[in-house]
Amino acid sequence: MDKSELEARVQALKARFPYQFEGGRLEIYVGAGWADIFTKLCEDVDQLLGADKRGFHWDQVKEKYGSARFYHQLGSVTPDIRLDLHNQSGMTSLIMPGESRPGATHYSEDVMNIVRGLRKLTLEAEKVTQHTCAVCGKPGELDRSQAWVIVVCPEHKALRAELDKTGERLDGFWLKFN
């Protein structure tokens, strides 16, 4: 995908779901290979929310330890806290649900169903990115051959290795939403 195609994809998604991209406090970056995953996530979130969007927006979307992370805000609901523990055998991600944090307000069952649904959707999408090349969307694996770990297909792993020989970095495939 060239830069104009990447930009067109960003603008099309923002036009479909403008509320999802208003009010984010940090940057929103999605690998071009994960664009279909993120688009489906936006569609699923929209369907889950229904007519009442409840102040939902993406707060930050990024790559972390190779896969995507999708952080959102839902009105005044206390957001989850996420802790990623990285060791030689991999990574464990712990989530402290916002509703269980000290000082969190009690929410109605309707709101809690949406909160649980959003958590499920985002975690499922993140899991898919753990096996999808961030560059092209083909099946991939986590490449730990460089300081920046990322999921890439065999073709992009080879390209990364080739670029690394000249001190260059695989780049230019990020969709930027803000």
Side-chain angles (χ1 to χ4, degrees):
M1 234 184 263
D2 67 23
K3 288 192 183 243
S4 64
E5 290 172 310
L6 293 174
E7 183 58 31
R9 189 119 195 216
V10 167
Q11 294 311 317
L13 193 57
K14 287 173 75 173
R16 280 182 69 193
F17 307 110
Y19 71 93
Q20 292 189 21
F21 300 97
E22 296 170 354
R25 65 181 178 87
L26 298 172
E27 293 190 336
I28 299 174
Y29 285 98
V30 178
W34 297 337
D36 289 341
I37 298 164
F38 187 56
T39 298
K40 182 178 181 333
L41 178 58
C42 291
E43 292 167 348
D44 291 346
V45 165
D46 190 64
Q47 184 176 6
L48 176 70
L49 295 173
D52 183 357
K53 304 309 181 195
R54 301 174 186 265
F56 177 92
H57 63 267
W58 296 111
D59 210 25
Q60 180 182 38
V61 177
K62 65 181 181 177
E63 174 275 328
K64 187 169 183 184
Y65 298 120
S67 63
R69 292 290 187 273
F70 304 108
Y71 301 103
H72 64 273
Q73 183 63 48
L74 181 68
S76 61
V77 173
T78 303
D80 296 346
I81 292 179
R82 184 171 190 155
L83 177 62
D84 294 316
L85 303 173
H86 192 47
N87 58 43
Q88 289 180 336
S89 62
M91 187 189 65
T92 301
S93 195
L94 304 173
I95 296 174
M96 176 186 274
E99 65 273 13
S100 68
R101 289 176 41 200
T105 307
H106 176 73
Y107 306 110
S108 70
E109 191 59 32
D110 179 48
V111 169
M112 286 310 306
N113 286 337
I114 291 172
V115 167
R116 286 189 286 270
L118 289 169
R119 188 177 298 132
K120 181 180 178 196
L121 290 172
T122 56
L123 291 175
E124 286 173 354
E126 289 175 9
K127 189 172 184 176
V128 175
T129 68
Q130 294 173 359
H131 305 285
T132 305
C133 178
V135 181
C136 69
K138 292 179 184 174
E141 294 182 359
L142 189 63
D143 180 12
R144 294 174 181 241
S145 66
Q146 300 173 21
W148 175 39
V149 296
I150 191 161
V151 174
V152 288
C153 65
E155 176 185 338
H156 286 106
K157 181 174 183 173
L159 179 58
R160 278 186 89 196
E162 196 61 35
L163 289 171
D164 192 46
K165 291 176 186 175
T166 61
E168 295 178 76
R169 182 175 160 176
L170 183 64
D171 211 353
F173 60 92
W174 296 103
L175 303 172
K176 185 176 181 190
F177 286 81
N178 54 349

